[in-house]
Amino acid sequence: MGVLTISGIFQDVVLASMTATFTARDSTSRPGTVAPEAAERSGSPGSTIAWENLGYEGRTFVTGGLDPAGLTAVTGREASMPIRVYAGLAGHDDGLGDVDLDEMAQEVVAELDRTDAWEREVVAVVTTTGTGWVDPLAVQALELVQDGDTAVAAMQYSVNPSWVTLVLDLDQPARAGQALFDAVQSRWAELPEGDRPQLVAFGVSLGSYGSQSAFPSLEDLTARADGAVWAGTPRFTPLWSDLTRARDAGSPEIHPVLDGGATARWGTANGGDQGYADLGPTDSPGWPTSSTRATASCGGGGPRPGTRTTGSTSGRVRTSCPGCAGGLGSPGCSSSRTCSWPDRTTCRWVTATTTARATSTRSRG
């Protein structure tokens, strides 16, 4: 009884006061941040979501990244203005902590419609960490390898850091991840099959847990998405745990191999063979150069956009990392990640994301 009483006091008093503090922070902006003018961003003059409703991390996200000139300066290729859409909690919380996540997800879909996101090559659905933080390195990597022909969608589900969310309501990131992906995927499925952009999912840390919650199985993922990149997945994540338990005989839990790497692969920081040596050369034209701290290619030239190659060797990646002098996940690279590899976009993205994170450190919520 004493333990329960202490736990209740901690949650009701200590964590409640922290929530009040982080709520106040969410109403502020990073110094120097101003509302975007570009129509491709939420919070812009034509946006259906007001700048003041985006929250601290949402405002940071929609104003971040490189514009077309900046992307071209890095890649040497012509680029488009990347689309970034976001829904914040402001205006949705009823003061009792109850939020209609489905309504928020529909706001994100409305922003995708407004920005003509379905005309882009790739639409990425991101589940944020606790504060609403979106990994800037992952998003920037995708925008670089796709020359800005992208739309990245995210929404906030909490003002608290991930560790507070773990204590208060672990179901919230799971509900948010499912609500957002289901809403975007439903709208995407309405498009003619030949005109759909590639649809991919992403999450890091608690966001990885939330993103994976949209998929009860690997089969569901490959049926409804063209790929996923999940970094720093918590051990309590059901899909991650299921895939790890189903690993091939002889493959260790610290570096699982599933079905010989046909659909899902792990890049880990434990060194050793990452299993990419058979996936083709690393010198294909048009891939990220050392200026993006990544080199990569897909074996067999990769499939045409919009096609899946789940279960085959085409469209997967072999990587090298100038930042850590090794392959994906070699010593010095970022934490363990799980990746579904059914398309060229995903393998390029995971390479650039991994090597960017290997050469940078950043705090997250």
Side-chain angles (χ1 to χ4, degrees):
M1 179 67 69
V3 172
L4 292 175
T5 301
I6 292 172
S7 176
I9 292 174
F10 179 77
Q11 179 166 326
D12 294 341
V13 178
V14 178
L15 294 184
S17 66
M18 288 183 177
T19 298
T21 298
F22 290 116
T23 298
R25 173 188 179 270
D26 199 51
S27 66
T28 66
S29 300
R30 182 170 295 180
T33 302
V34 296
E37 292 294 330
E40 293 86 354
R41 303 300 172 96
S42 292
S44 62
S47 174
T48 61
I49 299 178
W51 168 252
E52 57 269 20
N53 288 342
L54 290 174
Y56 182 95
E57 296 295 352
R59 286 186 282 273
T60 301
F61 168 64
V62 301
T63 56
L66 299 173
D67 62 11
L71 294 172
T72 297
V74 174
T75 66
R77 302 185 298 269
E78 184 178 351
S80 303
M81 182 66 179
I83 294 171
R84 294 188 177 193
V85 299
Y86 190 97
L89 282 174
H92 290 276
D93 195 326
D94 62 3
L96 300 175
D98 294 326
V99 178
D100 190 334
L101 294 171
D102 291 324
E103 180 181 273
M104 291 182 64
Q106 289 303 321
E107 288 189 359
V108 173
V109 172
E111 281 287 270
L112 291 172
D113 287 340
R114 180 189 66 82
T115 56
D116 292 327
W118 313 111
E119 300 298 320
R120 297 300 176 104
E121 185 69 23
V122 182
V123 172
V125 181
V126 177
T127 303
T128 69
T129 62
T131 58
W133 181 78
V134 178
D135 185 346
L137 295 175
V139 175
Q140 187 69 90
L142 179 63
E143 292 168 349
L144 280 165
V145 298
Q146 291 298 132
D147 299 321
D149 195 11
T150 57
V152 179
M155 73 180 192
Q156 185 182 21
Y157 55 82
S158 172
V159 298
N160 290 311
S162 294
W163 71 269
V164 178
T165 302
L166 282 171
V167 177
L168 290 178
D169 191 359
L170 185 57
D171 288 339
Q172 190 76 340
R175 291 192 296 267
Q178 181 171 355
L180 183 57
F181 187 85
D182 286 354
V184 174
Q185 197 273 340
S186 293
R187 176 69 180 90
W188 172 87
E190 294 174 359
L191 303 172
E193 188 170 357
D195 295 333
R196 295 171 185 167
Q198 294 180 71
L199 181 64
V200 295
F202 175 77
V204 59
S205 190
L206 194 61
S208 177
Y209 162 76
S211 179
Q212 291 185 52
S213 298
F215 309 102
S217 66
L218 188 61
E219 291 74 22
D220 182 67
L221 167 63
T222 57
R224 298 200 298 142
D226 292 298
V229 180
W230 294 314
T233 301
R235 292 181 63 86
F236 53 76
T237 304
L239 180 58
W240 183 90
S241 298
D242 290 346
L243 297 180
T244 300
R245 282 193 296 269
R247 66 190 182 273
D248 296 349
S251 102
E253 184 174 356
I254 194 173
H255 187 95
V257 176
L258 180 65
D259 296 333
T263 302
R265 296 196 176 193
W266 283 255
T268 57
N270 65 345
D273 182 11
Q274 299 293 308
Y276 303 121
D278 61 330
L279 299 180
T282 59
D283 57 354
S284 296
W287 284 78
T289 65
S290 58
S291 61
T292 63
R293 297 192 180 277
T295 58
S297 69
C298 286
R304 63 177 178 82
T307 61
R308 289 193 178 91
T309 56
T310 304
S312 73
T313 59
S314 178
R316 303 197 206 104
V317 70
R318 173 187 177 190
T319 69
S320 62
C321 175
C324 59
L328 171 64
S330 62
C333 270
S334 59
S335 58
S336 174
R337 65 191 63 234
T338 309
C339 179
S340 176
W341 306 79
D343 63 85
R344 187 178 181 91
T345 295
T346 305
C347 69
R348 294 175 69 176
W349 182 18
V350 73
T351 304
T353 299
T354 300
T355 53
R357 292 179 64 82
T359 54
S360 303
T361 57
R362 190 179 188 89
S363 62
R364 61 176 180 268

